[in-house]
């Protein structure tokens, strides 16, 4: 059974490599996602293993990676988020073991020093802001009164660039 997972992850890595190659184009953005779930009900009760990987990429070597792992057998929960700009990266990882109570938080810097982290994060925000929508989305819905629709209810409104809420938001683009 484990060999099947290894082959699947190898195929996923090949696919991600191909996607990275495509993003060298001037107008290409990509999103890939992979989830593997294994369930067993043998022995001491149900055991679940779940691993999810996501990657978003944009022109200019900009990439965000996310990975989560949950293993009920060992008690491990792990999450990592990586921000990449060409050959540089800042990867944040948290893990927790529910069985032992151990917790760990780690930050890795690739092709840069920890002292460069603030400047890198500023550059990341600046570069990714070019790919975010600049206005909220409108939608229509039935209001329950004879089929009439409520007009243009706003789903999201973005504040000014320098507002505190803009500085603390997630880096989705």
């Amino acid at each position: 059974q484990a060999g099947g997972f290894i082959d699947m992850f190898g195929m996923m890595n090949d696919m991600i490599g191909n996607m990275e190659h495509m993003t060298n184009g001037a107008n290409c953005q990509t999103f890939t996602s992979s989830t593997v779930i294994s369930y067993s009900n043998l022995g001491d009760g149900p055991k679940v293993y779940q691993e999810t990987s996501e990657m978003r990429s944009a022109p200019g070597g900009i990439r965000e990676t996310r990975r989560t792992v949950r293993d009920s057998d060992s008690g491990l929960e792990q999450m990592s988020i990586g921000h990449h700009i060409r050959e540089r990266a800042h990867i944040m990882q948290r893990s927790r073991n529910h069985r032992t109570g151990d917790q760990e938080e780690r930050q890795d810097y690739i092709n840069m020093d920890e002292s460069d982290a603030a400047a890198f994060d500023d550059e990341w925000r600046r570069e990714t802001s070019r790919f975010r929508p600049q206005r909220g989305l409108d939608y229509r819905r039935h209001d329950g009164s004879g089929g009439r629709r409520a007009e243009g209810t706003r789903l999201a409104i973005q504040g000014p660039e320098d507002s505190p809420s803009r500085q603390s938001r997630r880096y989705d683009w």
Side-chain angles (χ1 to χ4, degrees), residues 141-150:
R141 61 186 165 109
H142 289 282
D143 66 359
S145 57
R148 291 186 316 219
R149 295 177 178 265

Short mmCIF file of all heavy atoms in Angstrom, two decimals, residues 141-150:
data_model
loop_
_atom_site.label_atom_id
_atom_site.label_comp_id
_atom_site.label_asym_id
_atom_site.label_seq_id
_atom_site.Cartn_x
_atom_site.Cartn_y
_atom_site.Cartn_z
N ARG A 141 -29.39 37.02 -5.81
CA ARG A 141 -29.99 35.85 -5.20
C ARG A 141 -31.48 36.08 -5.07
O ARG A 141 -31.95 37.21 -5.04
CB ARG A 141 -29.37 35.54 -3.86
CG ARG A 141 -29.55 36.64 -2.85
CD ARG A 141 -28.77 36.32 -1.58
NE ARG A 141 -28.67 37.52 -0.80
CZ ARG A 141 -29.32 37.69 0.34
NH1 ARG A 141 -30.07 36.75 0.83
NH2 ARG A 141 -29.20 38.82 1.00
N HIS A 142 -32.22 34.98 -4.98
CA HIS A 142 -33.66 35.09 -4.75
C HIS A 142 -33.88 35.58 -3.34
O HIS A 142 -33.24 35.12 -2.40
CB HIS A 142 -34.34 33.73 -4.94
CG HIS A 142 -34.37 33.30 -6.37
ND1 HIS A 142 -35.26 33.81 -7.26
CD2 HIS A 142 -33.60 32.43 -7.06
CE1 HIS A 142 -35.05 33.25 -8.45
NE2 HIS A 142 -34.05 32.41 -8.35
N ASP A 143 -34.82 36.50 -3.17
CA ASP A 143 -35.10 36.99 -1.82
C ASP A 143 -36.29 36.31 -1.18
O ASP A 143 -36.73 36.67 -0.10
CB ASP A 143 -35.28 38.52 -1.82
CG ASP A 143 -36.52 38.95 -2.59
OD1 ASP A 143 -37.23 38.08 -3.13
OD2 ASP A 143 -36.79 40.17 -2.63
N GLY A 144 -36.87 35.30 -1.85
CA GLY A 144 -37.96 34.53 -1.28
C GLY A 144 -39.32 35.16 -1.45
O GLY A 144 -40.30 34.68 -0.90
N SER A 145 -39.45 36.24 -2.22
CA SER A 145 -40.75 36.88 -2.39
C SER A 145 -41.14 36.87 -3.87
O SER A 145 -40.89 37.80 -4.60
CB SER A 145 -40.73 38.31 -1.87
OG SER A 145 -39.71 39.05 -2.53
N GLY A 146 -41.70 35.77 -4.28
CA GLY A 146 -42.24 35.68 -5.63
C GLY A 146 -41.19 35.65 -6.72
O GLY A 146 -41.47 36.07 -7.84
N GLY A 147 -39.99 35.21 -6.44
CA GLY A 147 -38.99 35.07 -7.48
C GLY A 147 -38.19 36.32 -7.79
O GLY A 147 -37.35 36.33 -8.66
N ARG A 148 -38.47 37.43 -7.09
CA ARG A 148 -37.66 38.63 -7.34
C ARG A 148 -36.26 38.41 -6.80
O ARG A 148 -36.04 37.63 -5.88
CB ARG A 148 -38.29 39.85 -6.66
CG ARG A 148 -39.58 40.27 -7.30
CD ARG A 148 -40.06 41.55 -6.68
NE ARG A 148 -39.91 41.49 -5.23
CZ ARG A 148 -40.77 41.98 -4.38
NH1 ARG A 148 -41.85 42.56 -4.80
NH2 ARG A 148 -40.57 41.90 -3.09
N ARG A 149 -35.33 39.13 -7.33
CA ARG A 149 -33.94 38.97 -6.92
C ARG A 149 -33.48 40.21 -6.15
O ARG A 149 -33.82 41.32 -6.51
CB ARG A 149 -33.03 38.77 -8.13
CG ARG A 149 -33.32 37.50 -8.87
CD ARG A 149 -32.45 37.40 -10.11
NE ARG A 149 -32.68 36.16 -10.79
CZ ARG A 149 -31.96 35.07 -10.62
NH1 ARG A 149 -30.95 35.07 -9.81
NH2 ARG A 149 -32.25 33.98 -11.28
N ALA A 150 -32.67 39.97 -5.14
CA ALA A 150 -32.01 41.08 -4.44
C ALA A 150 -30.88 41.54 -5.34
O ALA A 150 -30.12 40.73 -5.85
CB ALA A 150 -31.49 40.62 -3.09
#
